[in-house]
Amino acid sequence: MPLTAALYPGQGTRDHAPAQAALRERLLSAVVSCFKRHGAAAIDTPVLELRETLVGKYGEGAKLIYELKDQGGELLALRYDLTVPFARYLAMNKITKMKRYHVAKVYRRDNPATTRGRYREFYQCDFDIAGQFDPMIPDAECLKIVHEILSDLQLGDFVIKVNDRRILNGVFDVCGVPESQFIPACCTIDKLDKIPWEEVRSEMVAEKGLSPEAADRIGEYVQLHAADSHRVTPISVPCLSFQASGEKLRTTETQVLVATPQKHLLAARMKLISELWDAGIKAEMLYKKDPKLLKQLQYCEDTGIPLAAIVGEQELADGVVKLRDVATRKEVDIPREKLIDEIRRRLEP
């Protein structure tokens, strides 16, 4: 091999000089700080997964998986994303509810376009809330997280596009696409941000087997463009703890749980927790519309959250928040405008 061949990284990868590494660290730090502020626990999974774990999970993306040679009878591959390994982690450990974040490199055997930021090795920053909860409460928090991160990074104006696969499936249905072709058609539609509609249509008809009539009907939807319309585009719990030497090890850094004692106060909880997040306080709430107060307080004790901010009908009427010290169970009413300062005072080392 010529000496010069060793002077370059592999195609689709890159080195990071000190200045670039410092900038990346600053960016990732802002992302992780937000994830922690929302009560997520960090996990880590191997960069190597069993091939059978990954293949079949990504549709057309499966052809971009980096498969490795037989390693003594074990067929392995480099992880393609962080979502499938997370699903494997949940299933393997029989976990049904978890709020986690994971920041790590992933690998795709793609044709690199470095001038457009497409690499074969890159970081993903995942935040997922796994489990069954009351509708739209976790979704609202995920949108809040995206807004906080993009605002914190000061990237300029931005638009958050919300995806609901059911809408796209509904479009396919009314356009006459057989259900068996929903996933192939979706994979092609996802290319609209890279190639023009004419090429997308051609692929759906020539390669995916859709009828020209169905493709044209889909085109009527995806080409709609108005100031108030959004194209469908993809945008991811009780914390795990364990005993070590008789002491409970916290897996999150949550400082406050926002709780309500009566029904129909979801909006009040979400308003208060948003104020805490905006002030940089690490806070959580349960993803139930009307959780029982005892269950909320028990969650604090189980996970080691030191404070509970309780807002009920009387507190709303009086303009106060009841602040509870979880360890001593002492409660005191704090004027709403002084709550942030009081929380910070109590959390000082």
Side-chain angles (χ1 to χ4, degrees), residues 34-43 86 90 95-102 126-131 133 137-138 141-142 145 236-240 251-252 254 256-257 273 277 282-287 299 305:
C34 181
F35 291 164
K36 289 182 177 181
R37 191 160 60 244
H38 285 258
I43 70 165
F86 179 46
L90 293 175
I95 298 170
T96 58
K97 294 181 180 179
M98 188 178 189
K99 182 196 290 187
R100 81 85 169 89
Y101 74 89
H102 191 185
D126 269 26
F127 176 98
D128 285 284
I129 303 172
F133 305 101
I137 301 178
E141 182 171 359
C142 288
I145 287 171
S236 179
V237 266
C239 309
L240 299 178
T251 58
T252 72
T254 305
V256 182
L257 182 85
I273 199 170
W277 286 332
K282 299 167 184 173
E284 286 187 71
M285 67 179 221
L286 299 193
Y287 300 120
Y299 178 78
I305 299 174

Side-chain angles (χ1 to χ4, degrees), residues 4-58:
T4 54
L7 298 180
Y8 300 91
Q11 189 178 22
T13 64
R14 56 178 170 169
D15 297 319
H16 287 84
Q20 294 171 315
L23 176 59
R24 182 181 65 189
E25 182 178 359
R26 196 179 311 164
L27 294 176
L28 294 182
S29 176
V31 173
V32 170
S33 293
C34 181
F35 291 164
K36 289 182 177 181
R37 191 160 60 244
H38 285 258
I43 70 165
D44 191 22
T45 60
V47 69
L48 301 176
E49 291 281 350
L50 291 175
R51 178 186 178 276
E52 64 186 57
T53 300
L54 302 183
V55 173
K57 307 297 194 304
Y58 301 106

Side-chain angles (χ1 to χ4, degrees), residues 113-126:
T114 55
T115 57
R116 290 189 293 157
R118 290 182 63 187
Y119 291 86
R120 289 177 170 173
E121 176 192 64
F122 55 93
Y123 273 92
Q124 280 195 342
C125 302
D126 269 26

Side-chain angles (χ1 to χ4, degrees), residues 22 64 138 197 255 280 286:
L64 303 181
W197 163 248
Q255 299 164 317
L286 299 193

